[in-house]
Amino acid sequence: MSSYRHRPRPRARRARPLAPAGVAGLVLLAAACSSADDRAEAAVPSPGKEVTGLCRGLDKALPETVVDEDRSDPEPESELTAGWGSPAIILRCGIPRPPVMSDPDAVTVEVDGVGWVLEELEDGAHRFTTSLRRAYVEVSLPGEVAAVSGSFALVDLAPAIKRTIPQGVAD
């Protein structure tokens, strides 16, 4: 059973000022879903031993719900991936350094003490990747917009990431 709980607005910032449409896009991001019978699929990263250990710790600390969606991990099962809802919000831990990290014009946000780099994908989907952490954690949000902001997914995930993935530079 899910109950409503008040959540404070996430604090967002960008290296350069956001256009009003960009701010609205961050506020309106949401988790949407595909068929309830289909488990999502996610490529499993293959990081080194240290990062794998950090990701296993994150997997144990992740919440059972994100934006009121129950955890439903993708195929193949792995401690390096997690999912919520259908179509799923997908988390992958231990990904290689994404090229967007080298883009000086990349959109960056900070949500509850965790820095993220935002990428807008096809079909309105968004991908967020942690920055300044010892492991890269990627969160992909489906493009469909629901009543709850996708930014709240980052709010729900921030405590686990802060506890298990130390600040620093990933290899």
Side-chain angles (χ1 to χ4, degrees), residues 55 58 91-95 116 128-130 135-139 161 165:
C55 293
L58 174 61
L91 178 145
R92 298 187 323 131
C93 183
I95 64 165
W116 300 89
F128 292 87
T129 306
T130 56
Y136 292 109
V137 178
E138 171 190 279
V139 176
I161 291 170
I165 310 293

Coordinates of all heavy atoms in Angstrom, one line a residue, residues 55 58 91-95 116 128-130 135-139 161 165:
C55 N 28.8 -0.5 -5.9 CA 27.4 -0.7 -6.5 C 26.6 -1.7 -5.8 O 25.4 -1.6 -5.6 CB 27.6 -1.0 -8.0 SG 28.3 0.3 -9.0
L58 N 25.2 0.0 -2.9 CA 24.1 0.9 -3.3 C 22.8 0.0 -3.5 O 21.7 0.4 -3.1 CB 24.4 1.6 -4.6 CG 23.3 2.4 -5.3 CD1 22.8 3.5 -4.3 CD2 23.7 3.0 -6.6
L91 N 18.0 2.3 -13.1 CA 19.3 2.7 -12.5 C 20.3 1.7 -12.9 O 20.1 0.5 -12.8 CB 19.1 2.8 -11.0 CG 20.4 3.2 -10.2 CD1 20.0 4.0 -9.0 CD2 21.2 2.0 -9.8
R92 N 21.5 2.2 -13.4 CA 22.6 1.3 -13.6 C 23.8 1.9 -12.9 O 24.1 3.1 -13.0 CB 22.9 1.2 -15.1 CG 21.8 0.6 -15.9 CD 22.1 0.4 -17.4 NE 22.9 1.4 -18.0 CZ 24.0 1.1 -18.8 NH1 24.4 -0.1 -19.0 NH2 24.7 2.1 -19.3
C93 N 24.5 1.1 -12.2 CA 25.7 1.6 -11.4 C 27.0 1.0 -11.9 O 27.0 -0.2 -12.3 CB 25.5 1.2 -9.9 SG 26.8 1.8 -8.8
G94 N 28.0 1.8 -12.0 CA 29.3 1.4 -12.5 C 29.5 1.5 -14.0 O 30.3 0.8 -14.6
I95 N 28.7 2.4 -14.6 CA 28.8 2.6 -16.1 C 30.2 3.3 -16.3 O 30.7 3.9 -15.5 CB 27.7 3.4 -16.6 CG1 27.7 4.8 -16.1 CG2 26.3 2.7 -16.4 CD1 26.8 5.8 -16.8
W116 N 24.3 15.8 -10.7 CA 23.9 15.0 -11.9 C 24.1 15.8 -13.2 O 24.0 17.0 -13.2 CB 22.4 14.7 -11.8 CG 21.9 14.0 -10.7 CD1 21.5 14.5 -9.5 CD2 21.8 12.5 -10.5 NE1 21.1 13.5 -8.6 CE2 21.3 12.3 -9.2 CE3 22.0 11.5 -11.4 CZ2 21.0 11.0 -8.8 CZ3 21.8 10.2 -10.9 CH2 21.3 9.9 -9.7
F128 N 20.1 10.8 -16.4 CA 20.9 11.5 -15.4 C 22.0 10.7 -15.0 O 21.9 9.5 -14.8 CB 20.0 11.9 -14.2 CG 18.9 12.9 -14.4 CD1 17.7 12.4 -14.9 CD2 19.1 14.2 -14.2 CE1 16.7 13.3 -15.1 CE2 18.1 15.1 -14.4 CZ 16.9 14.7 -14.9
T129 N 23.2 11.2 -14.9 CA 24.4 10.5 -14.5 C 25.1 11.3 -13.4 O 25.3 12.5 -13.5 CB 25.4 10.3 -15.6 OG1 24.7 9.7 -16.7 CG2 26.6 9.4 -15.2
T130 N 25.4 10.6 -12.3 CA 26.0 11.3 -11.1 C 27.4 11.8 -11.6 O 28.1 11.3 -12.4 CB 26.2 10.3 -9.9 OG1 27.0 9.2 -10.4 CG2 24.9 9.9 -9.3
A135 N 31.8 6.3 -8.3 CA 31.2 5.4 -9.4 C 30.2 6.2 -10.1 O 29.5 7.0 -9.5 CB 30.6 4.2 -8.7
Y136 N 30.1 6.0 -11.4 CA 29.0 6.6 -12.2 C 27.7 5.9 -12.0 O 27.7 4.7 -12.2 CB 29.4 6.8 -13.6 CG 30.5 7.7 -13.9 CD1 31.8 7.2 -14.3 CD2 30.4 9.1 -13.7 CE1 32.8 8.1 -14.5 CE2 31.4 9.9 -13.9 CZ 32.7 9.4 -14.3 OH 33.7 10.3 -14.5
V137 N 26.7 6.6 -11.6 CA 25.3 6.0 -11.5 C 24.4 6.7 -12.5 O 24.4 7.9 -12.5 CB 24.8 6.2 -10.0 CG1 23.4 5.6 -9.9 CG2 25.7 5.5 -9.0
E138 N 23.8 5.9 -13.3 CA 22.9 6.4 -14.4 C 21.5 6.1 -14.0 O 21.2 5.0 -13.6 CB 23.3 5.8 -15.7 CG 22.4 6.0 -16.8 CD 22.8 5.1 -18.0 OE1 23.7 5.4 -18.7 OE2 22.1 4.1 -18.1
V139 N 20.6 7.1 -14.2 CA 19.2 6.9 -14.0 C 18.5 7.4 -15.2 O 18.6 8.5 -15.7 CB 18.7 7.7 -12.7 CG1 17.2 7.6 -12.6 CG2 19.4 7.3 -11.5
I161 N 22.5 7.0 -2.6 CA 23.7 7.3 -3.3 C 24.7 8.0 -2.4 O 25.9 7.6 -2.4 CB 23.4 8.1 -4.6 CG1 22.6 7.2 -5.6 CG2 24.7 8.7 -5.2 CD1 22.1 8.0 -6.8
I165 N 28.0 5.7 -2.3 CA 28.9 6.1 -3.3 C 29.6 7.3 -2.9 O 29.1 8.4 -3.0 CB 28.2 6.3 -4.7 CG1 27.3 5.1 -5.1 CG2 29.3 6.6 -5.8 CD1 28.0 3.8 -5.4

